[in-house]
């Protein structure tokens, strides 16, 4: 590479790009690419449909592993190699993060389709991760890195639980699932555990990253951090699985 050849080495490419404008353009491309994979609102449509329509095994793999690759892209290529461009675009990324936490959480409250409910709830960990990346402090990045792993597990658990419950009930309408939880306690508890993991209840692995991320990001992006705080509450609202049938 030093003699004019071609190199694909991350470290070399990161040091070769020094201009701020070039870094901003490249950072925009990285954020768009990562937003389609995590995914972040408004580029979440494919993931919502896959989580809600794919077979349980495929939905679990995409929610827990494939979607996390977008987070790795932001950490490895944006934060490490395009640091100056990331600082310029951090407020934009924080806005996307807040939208990704709030919008799916609110839509999940209105849907009667249990698989759609799980699909929207599974989008929330990606928004928490993006807020940590936008914070760009050591604690915020630590919280984001932890959230990339444990948030993926929580998302996969929610998606898998809702998919298996829909198969067991032979319906996706939560209004027709009254008193299903007592008949399928394992699936019901899986869904409860997944939702608690998404909102970061103390005692669960997701508590540390979801506590670190908003507070460590508040100094740089107070608006995004404040909008984030009420976001995890709607996923805690349970579908009517344990209620008597009407």
């Amino acid at each position: 590479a030093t003699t004019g050849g071609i190199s694909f080495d991350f470290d070399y490419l990161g040091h070769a790009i020094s201009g701020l404008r070039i870094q901003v353009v490249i950072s925009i491309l990285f954020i768009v690419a990562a937003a389609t994979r995590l995914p972040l609102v408004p580029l979440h449509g494919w993931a919502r449909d896959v989580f809600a329509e794919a077979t349980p095994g495929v939905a679990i793999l995409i929610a827990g592993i494939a979607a996390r690759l977008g987070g790795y892209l932001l950490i490895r290529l944006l934060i490490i190699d395009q640091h100056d461009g990331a600082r310029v675009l951090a407020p934009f990324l924080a806005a996307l993060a807040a939208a990704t936490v709030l919008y799916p959480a609110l839509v999940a409250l209105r849907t009667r389709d249990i698989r759609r409910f799980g699909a929207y709830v599974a989008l929330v960990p990606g928004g928490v991760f993006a807020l940590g990346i936008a914070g760009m402090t050591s604690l915020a990045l630590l919280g984001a890195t932890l959230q990339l792993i444990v948030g993926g597990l929580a998302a996969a658990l929610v998606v898998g639980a809702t998919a298996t419950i829909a198969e067991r009930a032979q319906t996706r309408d939560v209004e027709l699932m009254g008193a299903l939880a007592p008949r399928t306690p394992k699936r019901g508890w899986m869904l409860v555990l997944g939702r608690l993991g998404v909102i970061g209840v103390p005692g669960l692995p997701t508590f540390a990253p979801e506590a670190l991320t908003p507070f460590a990001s508040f100094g740089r992006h107070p608006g995004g951090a404040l909008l984030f705080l009420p976001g995890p509450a709607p996923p805690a609202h349970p579908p009517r699985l344990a209620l008597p049938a009407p």
Side-chain angles (χ1 to χ4, degrees):
T2 57
T3 60
I6 298 176
S7 174
F8 294 101
D9 183 81
F10 283 159
D11 294 331
Y12 173 79
L13 293 175
H15 289 90
I17 302 173
S18 57
L20 178 59
R21 291 185 179 180
I22 297 178
Q23 284 202 20
V24 170
V25 172
I26 293 176
S27 298
I28 291 174
L29 297 178
F30 283 156
I31 290 175
V32 171
T36 61
R37 176 60 64 176
L38 270 171
L40 301 179
V41 172
L43 303 177
H44 66 289
W46 73 269
R48 174 200 58 205
D49 294 339
V50 169
F51 296 162
E53 305 298 337
T55 60
V58 173
I60 289 171
L61 286 175
I62 294 177
I65 299 177
R68 305 304 110 188
L69 297 178
Y72 175 77
L73 174 65
L74 291 180
I75 294 176
R76 183 63 183 87
L77 298 181
L78 180 67
I79 297 299
I80 296 179
D81 292 341
Q82 311 298 324
H83 191 72
D84 294 336
R87 285 186 178 275
V88 174
L89 296 174
F92 172 70
L93 186 57
L96 290 180
T100 305
V101 172
L102 287 175
Y103 174 75
L106 294 176
V107 174
L109 288 177
R110 301 183 59 184
T111 182
R112 293 178 52 174
D113 188 325
I114 188 172
R115 291 208 62 179
R116 288 275 173 174
F117 173 86
Y120 280 114
V121 171
L123 299 178
V124 173
V128 178
F129 168 83
L131 181 61
I133 293 295
M136 297 191 68
T137 64
S138 58
L139 287 178
L141 292 176
L142 175 61
T145 304
L146 293 174
Q147 179 68 10
L148 187 63
I149 301 172
V150 297
L153 295 176
L157 185 57
V158 169
V159 169
T162 53
T164 54
I165 288 173
E167 285 189 350
R168 175 68 173 81
Q170 296 297 304
T171 180
R172 295 168 54 154
D173 192 335
V174 295
E175 298 295 332
L176 303 178
M177 292 184 181
L180 178 66
R183 299 197 300 271
T184 59
K186 293 182 180 179
R187 294 178 178 87
W189 279 111
M190 284 173 57
L191 180 56
V192 170
L193 185 61
R195 292 203 317 271
L196 294 179
V198 168
I199 66 176
V201 170
L204 295 180
T206 52
F207 172 70
E210 294 204 15
L212 281 175
T213 299
F215 291 107
S217 304
F218 183 81
R220 292 181 179 271
H221 309 292
L226 289 175
L227 289 174
F228 161 83
L229 292 178
H237 179 73
R240 296 178 57 187
L241 301 182
L243 301 180

